[in-house]
Amino acid sequence: MRKTIGLMLVAALAASWTLAGCSGKQAEDENSAGKGNTQAATSSTLTVLTNRVDLIENGRMLKYAEPFEQKHPGLKVEFQGFSNYTADIMVHLSTQNMGDVLLLPANMLAQDFPRYFEPMPNEMFDSIRFADYKAYDGVRYGIASGASTVGVVYNKKAFAKAGIETPPVTLAEFYEACKKLKQTGITPVYLNYGAQWPLKIWGEEFVSYMTGDPEYLNKMANSDKPWDLSNPWGQSMQIVKTLIDGGYTEQGLFNNQWELSKKKLADGEAAMSINGNWVIKQVIEAGASSDDIGYFPFPYDDGEKRFAPLVPDWFVGVSKFSTHKELAKEWVDYFVKQSGYVEDEGFLSVRINEQLSVSPQQEQFLSYKPIFVENVPPSDQILQIAEKAKVTLWSGEYIQEWIASENLQQTFEQYNARWQEARKQIIK
């Protein structure tokens, strides 16, 4: 069902924005824990798999775990981090080595949820956005850990040094700003090509909202040739190629510079990063003053109307192979709603009508009056075709290949041929 959030809801959203396996334990102990018993068995470990390697390294994940551990004496919450979660987690699923709590793979078929994940209680989803996003046959298997939009995080001092008085509102102005920044010796834009996963922004995320049609991606299942220079896929890739050809991106593209990019942006050595609003918090923590960091919608064309996405972040679920499912479910509910993770890490709340503070950067973003397009879940059909065509959606992997292609239309045609053959096998 299409949901395009208009300007009236933008104002309502402003109020909700914010900067943002157990072992050696008997089943009856676990069941009683799910019913409110705060006692846990001695020397128990709850294993949580996550993409937030940074929060494991800086100790913040342990901080989130402390209140939960205090509620369950003897319990230890242990975190395992994966830097490229979409790719790495598939190996663990194949061996059923999934810990107790983990993030649902973005490209997993809904029909496969029951094979790997435990059903979640309906009461957990009261007044929660994207409640049915990870559901199959009326059963929910994951809850969104946060929500976000996509825009341009920028350093105001870098803009001022380059003589840029106001953020660009058209693509032409964006290119002109990049030119001025380069001439000043400032890296205009960090793509984070080497990290790979950030490139999904230029793929599935852009094409799902720049037309204002959240079903655009799912409609690809109806086409034998979904990729072309003249459609949103080509439009997005040509923007990236223009940035690279103009020398407007980071040097050493093949190196993973994710952490370095945040420091460069904080110091003003780099000017812009096109990413989710959650990056704002990380840039400030990298050393920037909040007053020096701004946020505006990405001007993907020269038109007056500007769309922006409202998308769920990773969904959290419980492993079907956990021996302590009820305690794991309790952790999931606590982590999303009570731990402070959403507020601390710069996400939008997934709790409908939750009143949270509004950051200056979010105020600035909303001042452009973007039309929010609420993301919809990918259909099993699109995921099956993509899998058969060997296109790993949401990984950024194939976007790397496209960016490096000397003949993008030819590369598109090769992918279209694979897509067409996959459709023949999936759509009977």
Side-chain angles (χ1 to χ4, degrees):
M1 179 176 175
R2 290 181 54 175
K3 296 182 181 178
T4 302
I5 302 179
L7 295 179
M8 291 182 66
L9 186 51
V10 172
L13 277 172
S16 69
W17 280 46
T18 181
L19 261 181
C22 284
S23 61
K25 188 176 188 302
Q26 297 301 315
E28 57 266 26
D29 291 330
E30 173 197 288
N31 292 334
S32 62
K35 297 175 182 178
N37 185 348
T38 61
Q39 298 300 313
T42 303
S43 301
S44 298
T45 301
L46 189 70
T47 303
V48 179
L49 278 53
T50 178
N51 66 322
R52 296 305 301 267
V53 177
D54 57 328
L55 300 186
I56 296 176
E57 293 178 345
N58 67 20
R60 194 169 293 159
M61 276 299 190
L62 293 179
K63 168 180 167 287
Y64 296 138
E66 285 177 1
F68 193 79
E69 290 175 338
Q70 290 171 5
K71 183 180 179 182
H72 300 276
L75 174 67
K76 176 67 175 177
V77 180
E78 183 179 275
F79 299 95
Q80 295 180 13
F82 301 91
S83 58
N84 192 344
Y85 190 91
T86 297
D88 296 340
I89 196 61
M90 300 311 292
V91 176
H92 286 260
L93 263 62
S94 67
T95 61
Q96 299 181 4
N97 181 20
M98 301 162 52
D100 297 289
V101 176
L102 68 161
L103 308 176
L104 278 68
N107 51 4
M108 175 176 279
L109 301 178
Q111 68 183 30
D112 289 335
F113 293 159
R115 293 175 55 192
Y116 299 99
F117 294 93
E118 187 70 11
M120 305 296 273
N122 286 330
E123 57 268 23
M124 186 183 292
F125 296 84
D126 290 344
S127 298
I128 294 291
R129 294 188 187 280
F130 311 112
D132 297 319
Y133 205 99
K134 295 297 182 182
Y136 180 71
D137 199 22
V139 179
R140 294 161 173 160
Y141 293 91
I143 184 171
S145 58
S148 63
T149 189
V150 172
V152 184
V153 184
Y154 75 103
N155 188 299
K156 296 178 181 179
K157 285 187 174 180
F159 269 36
K161 186 176 180 180
I164 304 169
E165 298 180 357
T166 58
V169 295
T170 66
L171 186 57
E173 291 178 0
F174 182 79
Y175 289 147
E176 182 62 25
C178 288
K179 180 179 179 181
K180 291 180 178 180
L181 288 160
K182 180 185 177 182
Q183 291 173 344
T184 312
I186 298 170
T187 301
V189 181
Y190 255 89
L191 292 177
N192 274 297
Y193 179 95
Q196 191 178 88
W197 64 264
L199 298 180
K200 65 187 177 65
I201 289 173
W202 299 94
E204 297 85 0
E205 294 195 11
F206 271 175
V207 302
S208 295
Y209 80 83
M210 65 168 58
T211 61
D213 182 3
E215 291 284 1
Y216 186 92
L217 195 65
N218 285 333
K219 290 177 180 177
M220 287 173 53
N222 302 323
S223 173
D224 278 337
K225 297 180 178 181
W227 293 294
D228 192 88
L229 289 178
S230 64
N231 69 18
W233 287 101
Q235 180 184 348
S236 179
M237 289 300 98
Q238 288 177 90
I239 293 174
V240 179
K241 283 182 168 290
T242 298
L243 295 176
I244 294 176
D245 292 345
Y248 300 149
T249 67
E250 72 267 23
Q251 297 182 354
L253 282 174
F254 294 95
N255 300 323
N256 187 337
Q257 303 181 60
W258 171 244
E259 295 300 329
L260 178 64
S261 70
K262 293 182 287 186
K263 180 63 175 173
K264 293 283 189 180
L265 185 55
D267 293 344
E269 295 181 43
M272 294 181 284
S273 173
I274 303 164
N275 223 311
N277 55 278
W278 48 270
V279 173
I280 298 169
K281 172 79 171 181
Q282 297 188 29
V283 172
I284 294 172
E285 289 186 340
S289 166
S290 178
D291 293 338
D292 294 335
I293 301 301
Y295 196 53
F296 61 92
F298 178 63
Y300 47 79
D301 60 23
D302 292 327
E304 295 182 359
K305 183 181 293 186
R306 187 65 63 230
F307 293 109
L310 183 65
V311 300
D313 197 62
W314 289 94
F315 286 78
V316 191
V318 173
S319 169
K320 186 179 183 66
F321 309 104
S322 169
T323 57
H324 301 278
K325 299 181 178 69
E326 296 305 318
L327 186 60
K329 292 175 187 177
E330 189 179 342
W331 163 264
V332 171
D333 194 62
Y334 158 79
F335 181 71
V336 172
K337 301 176 183 178
Q338 302 175 45
S339 69
Y341 170 79
V342 172
E343 296 90 335
D344 290 347
E345 308 311 325
F347 291 103
L348 312 181
S349 176
V350 295
R351 305 181 75 174
I352 298 171
N353 298 324
E354 183 173 26
Q355 299 298 309
L356 297 172
S357 61
V358 180
S359 75
Q361 292 84 8
Q362 293 157 352
E363 281 192 60
Q364 180 185 6
F365 189 94
L366 290 172
S367 72
Y368 290 89
K369 296 180 171 56
I371 301 171
F372 283 92
V373 180
E374 186 168 327
N375 192 254
V376 299
S379 67
D380 273 7
Q381 193 173 66
I382 192 74
L383 294 176
Q384 288 170 326
I385 296 172
E387 181 180 26
K388 184 69 68 173
K390 293 182 171 57
V391 179
T392 310
L393 298 175
W394 293 283
S395 69
E397 179 182 354
Y398 67 96
I399 302 294
Q400 276 187 329
E401 179 184 346
W402 292 358
I403 291 174
S405 173
E406 294 183 359
N407 188 325
L408 184 56
Q409 184 58 48
Q410 185 178 76
T411 300
F412 277 169
E413 290 171 359
Q414 293 170 354
Y415 271 76
N416 283 333
R418 286 158 51 179
W419 189 265
Q420 183 176 9
E421 182 60 31
R423 285 190 73 244
K424 291 178 181 178
Q425 297 180 51
I426 298 300
I427 301 177
K428 304 297 184 180

